[in-house]
Amino acid sequence: MATAKKSSHQFDKLFADVPPSAPGAQRPYSALVDPAPPPSVGSQDFSHTAQTSQAAEDGAAVPGTQTPARAEPVASCNEEVTVKGQTQAGDAQSQGDAMLPAAEAIKSTASDALIADQEDASQRSPEPSTPPMPLLPDPRQTVLELRDTSHQQAEKPSQQCEQRMSEDLDLPQTSPPPSAPLPPPAPRTPSPPPPLPLAVFSRAQPPQLREHPRQSSLVLWWEDARQIDVLDAQEGETWPPCPVGYMLQLQQVTSKRGVDEPLAEDRWSAVYSGSSPHAQVTGLLPGRRYALRVVLRPQLLPGYRDMPPLPPSPAAVAETQPASPEAPPPARLVGRARNFLKFKWLDPDETGGRRILRYQAVILQSGGRAEHWDPMCDGPDNSYKLSSLRPAVKVVVKYQVFNEVGESPWSPAVSFTTASAVPDIVSDMSVAGSTSNSIAVQWQEPAANGEPIEGYRLEIDDGLGGAFELAYQGIDRMYEAMGLESGRTYRFRVCASNQVGTGLVSLPLSCQTAAMPPSSPPQPGVNSVTQTTAMLSWGPPPFDGGAPITRWKVELQPKSKAALVNGLSSNWTTMYEGRGTACTLNALRPGCVYRVRVAACNSAGWGAAGFPANVAAAPTAPDTPQHLQVVRRTREALSVTWQPPTFDGGAPLAHYRLELRRPPTSPEADVGPSNSSGGGVGWATAATCQEAAAEVGGLQPGTDYQARVYAINALGSSPPTDPLTASTNAAPPGAPSAPTLEGSPAGTSLNLRWSAPQERGVAVAGYTLQTAPHAADPAQPSDSPTATAAAVQWQTIHEGKDSAAKVRQLVPAMQYVFRVRATSSVGAGDWSPPATFCTSAAAPSAPTHVAAFAAAVDTPDLTEEGGSNAAALQVSWQPPQSNHGAPVGSYTVEVAQQPSRGRSDLTWQLAYSGPSLSCTVAGLKHGRLHSVRVRASNVCGAGGWSAPASARTRPGRPIPPPPPTVSQVTSGGLRAKWDSPTDDNGAPVIIYRLEATAASSSAKEVYAGPETAFKVTGLQPGHLYHLRVQACNAEGSSAFSEAVAVHTAQPPPPPPAALTAALCSSGRSILAQWDAVTDEAAHAPVASYEAEAAPRGPGAALRGTAPARLTQCTLSGASPGVTYQVRVRAAGAAGAGHGAWSAAVEVCVPCSPAQTPAGGGEVRAAGDVDGTQCPPSSGGTGGGSGSRRRAGKRAPKLVEAAKARGPVAGQPWTVRRVQREFRRHDRLLLLVVVLLFFSLFAALLLNEGSS
């Protein structure tokens, strides 16, 4: 149907499995449908059953129906698995279940099995069915119920299906109920071949709700189906049960209009396929009714007979929760005028499954606040007329719809504009300026109301209230009327016009031509004067300038210097501006003289100021004196000075009064006479003088005072100066109390405390504590007040600010005398009375005369490496100087070996503990410097360590050196190298012994000497040798090191045979060829060959190498006219070295390449020289390394030889040509020599690095 296709886009969600029901869990909702089989297509009735609904509401059973049973409890669905193009998780994944998207399932047609079942459904008789059950426990029965009315037909489809299955399976017509096991098949006449067994399954049950329906999903479950029997099975055979799969099919019942449509078989869509009996259907439309059913899909195992498709379960109907509507489409304009707009609201495509109840619209007008929407209408009508609008006004409208669930989102905002009109009236016309004969007016552009303004019309009257006449017409919004009469008031009005028409005329604007400023007013009069105020009045000016006086201005200028206060300056300052002709000047300074003038103002502006008048304020008391300070102080007097006040108040000063008091923080602040004229508690008059200075005596030393000064004239006293705090000179502090002991005395320290003394004007800066040993009887109590400090020598032990100190580094069990005094910035005070205290007993002092020397111990070597721990030291000491009040009980000796160079830490180890004054420390290393320290202990504890004494143990035999390392192994020798022993035990190594042991012989000493490397020769090729080394010093020899095994190389290969040499075609290269060296069993295999061509005479030899697989080598760079002796040798592999050179053969290089024989140069044995073919080699270049000068000397001889051979191809030999040829070859040979030199140098470096 069209409705189903339009709604199919909502099924683009996926479906998920729901966990199976848990035993004992409570199922929150009832079963979805009754368990009757599905009715035939076209015979189902989807309608409201009033009787059933009413009976359900009343709680009574309906006649002819069966009350639905409560479903079994199931577990809650707490996991949703959504699959889109993927496999399910959980059970669905393990079983290979396939989840289908709902959108594709609805659009697809029914399966072939369902179509086949539909064709057979009309021939089957339905079984008696129970009435439908409510889907949700909702008392309002808002969910439609699905009833099966197929029992009214002639036949029941389920009975037809069972009858057909019985015929196919040869079953009796009357079959047992699904829950009872099927009877065994009747015996049949044996006929080959025997029939395959047929699986019998239980009936598919309708789906049920597991959770409350949601807006777009349903969580469903259904009872498991299983195989209940096997038909036609042979006797004694056991067939495994076949697994059962499920297909959940869905069909939308409610159309978009909210009307239930009958079910159609072609509209069933598969939404789930799998093995789990539960699923979650998502992507549904809210507020819709859906029919669902389950189809069994058995998976027949091999060996079972094919079976027809099983019938689906009865259909169940469920309704999703309704939702809020979707956003509606934009509003539609159905009417427009200059002052109104009419809109129509449209329902959204998706109403959430419920009817639209009302519409709410808001408006945003142009010129309003941004994003501030005003409410426009709210009601059930789907249209609205917006009135009282202005022309050409743009409004933006959006709306939302409501159903019984809630509100929808706002529709897209859309804008509309009203029709255009004539311009508005000009309401903001103003005067831009005026003179005595012109007025300029201007106005703002009014609202155009949709069409642009085309021009303005300005009218003006005659200035006497007459008629208006046209003065200006145009697009400008400013006009200046010229030629007007001065002093008249003119009226202006204007109107605007556009394409629609001309607007209304504005209200008249009146303006008068300008007037002249007034003249200067007369001199103001002074009515009354006080100390701070003056009352003035004045008359009008002689001429007002043609306009009334609107304002007056009074200006003030100080005449006295003392009046330049309160922000006044020497310039004129405006003190009053207003309409009155009298004012009062405030904030005048008493006794000062001021000048005052007046100016008038009319509409033309301010006129000139009049002649000033003098105003003198009444006198008053003087100001406060300035800069009070102390100029001299002693222990009993203070001298102060100050400056006279800056203003005497308009009357001369009579005298000054100086007052003193103690500071308020002082304990004696309120002590002293009170002077009522002073204005303060504790202030007393100290001096009265005419001058600005005074001295006050009779004061206490080191005491703070506060001073202040008054200035007095005939009118009174000035305010006092700010108090000045000063102090008399201080004296040293008094003596503190005698020190007292805090807590119990310790062996080397005492905690003392004392009380603070009298400060005498200056705070105590610190204390000095002194002590001395007490010469009296120690038995006298330490806290005795009669303790004396006579005949003692005092020593300062503490200086600080605290009135307590901890005296350290005292001698235990000894009496001390202490005294203390205070110190301030003035000086030191008196000493306190002395106090005597005694320290307690303590650990003894360090032992004295500690000595250590090497001792011989009669003990065997502890290790094979030379007895490195067999040395000993003899240690002795004397008792400590003081036992600190307790006898010494024992001594402790510790020893530490001096660290190696670069380290300074010592590791002390216990060596002895006992009462003796000497001991032997054994188990030390030979030849090491050791440090020894001793301390004594008594009942109070262990005392301090003595100064370390050092001694060196006797030297011993060295430890074995490390194993030697071997390099440069050849067939007859090798190079051995070893390191010195890590410890020589105090005696340097004098000699090393190197022994070599063959496989079948005894050890043989091959070296004895001080060196740590030696080249061993005379070894047999290809033999195994073991090398070890021994170190010896003055005390003996160490053990041998670990032996190192080494194989000597095989003998080098013999010289190659059948050596031949010939010139190449270029005439400057020699090709050497030989036979390969064989019989490698007797010598080392060949690694490479070396060929050499040496000139007969001075010159560099030509050399080249060839790999072992080649038996020839080309030697380049041969010099013309030189005879070379060519030889070759083989180099052995694995360090075997070079073999002997072969017998040399000679090759003669001709002077000219053109004379080279076709088969190469002549090859001769060594000593066979023919001077006619080759020039003497004594004049050769030595393989191309000669200089240009030598080439020039050989040139004549070469030319003669060339002439003797004759010209070649018409090219005569000349001296210049010969020299040019030799220069070219000389450069090449020089480059070859340099490269060979660098190659040899690099090889030597590599050799040194490897050794």
Side-chain angles (χ1 to χ4, degrees), residues 196-447:
L196 296 176
L198 177 66
V200 181
F201 296 87
S202 60
R203 179 175 299 172
Q205 299 300 320
Q208 303 182 36
L209 281 177
R210 182 164 186 171
E211 294 183 1
H212 195 284
R214 303 172 185 173
Q215 292 181 355
S216 61
S217 63
L218 295 172
V219 180
L220 306 172
W221 73 282
W222 51 91
E223 295 184 2
D224 286 335
R226 66 185 186 278
Q227 181 178 345
I228 60 177
D229 201 353
V230 179
L231 303 181
D232 295 341
Q234 299 297 327
E235 184 176 358
E237 291 182 349
T238 302
W239 290 88
C242 298
V244 180
Y246 306 96
M247 176 187 293
L248 180 63
Q249 295 180 344
L250 177 141
Q251 184 176 157
Q252 182 173 337
V253 177
T254 307
S255 65
K256 182 179 179 182
R257 297 187 302 274
V259 180
D260 288 346
E261 298 178 351
L263 295 179
E265 191 64 29
D266 59 348
R267 291 197 296 113
W268 286 102
S269 302
V271 295
Y272 168 74
S273 177
S275 61
S276 298
H278 38 73
Q280 180 176 0
V281 184
T282 60
L284 306 180
L285 296 177
R288 303 298 199 278
R289 289 167 55 84
Y290 293 91
L292 301 112
R293 67 182 184 184
V294 177
V295 180
L296 299 183
R297 303 178 66 182
Q299 300 178 12
L300 298 179
L301 299 177
Y304 279 96
R305 187 194 315 170
D306 293 340
M307 60 183 302
L310 299 180
S313 71
V317 178
E319 183 178 5
T320 56
Q321 286 291 330
S324 301
E326 292 183 350
R332 183 182 302 172
L333 183 66
V334 296
R336 186 180 77 152
R338 295 181 181 179
N339 57 352
F340 76 88
L341 293 172
K342 187 174 182 180
F343 308 100
K344 182 175 179 59
W345 322 125
L346 305 175
D347 291 345
D349 292 339
E350 176 55 48
T351 62
R354 293 295 181 266
R355 185 174 59 87
I356 301 300
L357 302 178
R358 62 186 179 93
Y359 306 86
Q360 182 181 7
V362 294
I363 184 173
L364 177 65
Q365 298 189 15
S366 59
R369 289 182 295 174
E371 295 302 327
H372 179 72
W373 295 86
D374 297 324
M376 184 171 61
C377 66
D378 190 353
D381 297 335
N382 61 351
S383 63
Y384 180 74
K385 181 178 180 181
L386 182 62
S387 305
S388 302
L389 299 179
R390 292 179 53 82
V393 172
K394 179 181 178 181
V395 295
V396 181
V397 178
K398 64 179 180 180
Y399 69 100
Q400 60 181 169
V401 298
F402 294 80
N403 60 7
E404 65 182 26
V405 178
E407 61 185 20
S408 70
W410 290 99
S411 67
V414 60
S415 60
F416 304 100
T417 307
T418 56
S420 302
V422 297
D424 284 353
I425 186 172
V426 178
S427 60
D428 48 2
M429 190 176 183
S430 61
V431 178
S434 64
T435 63
S436 59
N437 61 350
S438 65
I439 297 175
V441 295
Q442 60 184 3
W443 58 93
Q444 298 295 330
E445 181 179 358

Side-chain angles (χ1 to χ4, degrees), residues 160 240 253 286 294 450 476 662 774 947 974 1117 1121:
Q160 295 178 2
V253 177
V294 177
D476 294 335
R662 296 291 300 276
H774 187 42
L974 53 85

